[in-house]
Amino acid sequence: MRRQLRVGPVNPGSGTGGQRARAQRLDVLLGLLGFFTVMAAVQTVVLEFRGDAAVGSALLLAGLAVALRAVWRARRKADS
């Protein structure tokens, strides 16, 4: 007789956990992207006011904003 290994509340062989788990993962990703988008925006504004080159920071901000919007739309789609 073969015994199953129990790994607490998480069963590694059970798939991704369904819609609720997907929504929670997207919420975490939204939080991380949101935080770093705000930090990039602050950095870009500070660099602009100081007169330093802000092209790299602005490109990073644009990329983060696009990623944030994409995850936001995926999160809204996960609700419906």
Side-chain angles (χ1 to χ4, degrees):
M1 180 173 223
R2 191 172 165 185
R3 291 179 25 187
Q4 281 188 328
L5 177 65
R6 294 187 183 235
V7 189
V10 177
N11 184 358
S14 68
T16 61
Q19 286 291 100
R20 184 173 179 194
R22 176 178 163 79
Q24 288 175 345
R25 286 192 302 271
L26 288 172
D27 284 342
V28 170
L29 187 56
L30 271 173
L32 288 171
L33 280 173
F35 172 78
F36 286 110
T37 302
V38 168
M39 291 295 106
V42 169
Q43 179 186 15
T44 303
V45 168
V46 167
L47 288 174
E48 284 292 333
F49 278 125
R50 290 176 52 193
D52 295 339
V55 174
S57 180
L59 289 174
L60 174 65
L61 176 59
L64 285 171
V66 167
L68 184 64
R69 177 164 166 83
V71 173
W72 184 283
R73 291 184 71 184
R75 177 61 176 97
R76 287 182 53 201
K77 190 180 273 189
D79 278 341
S80 51

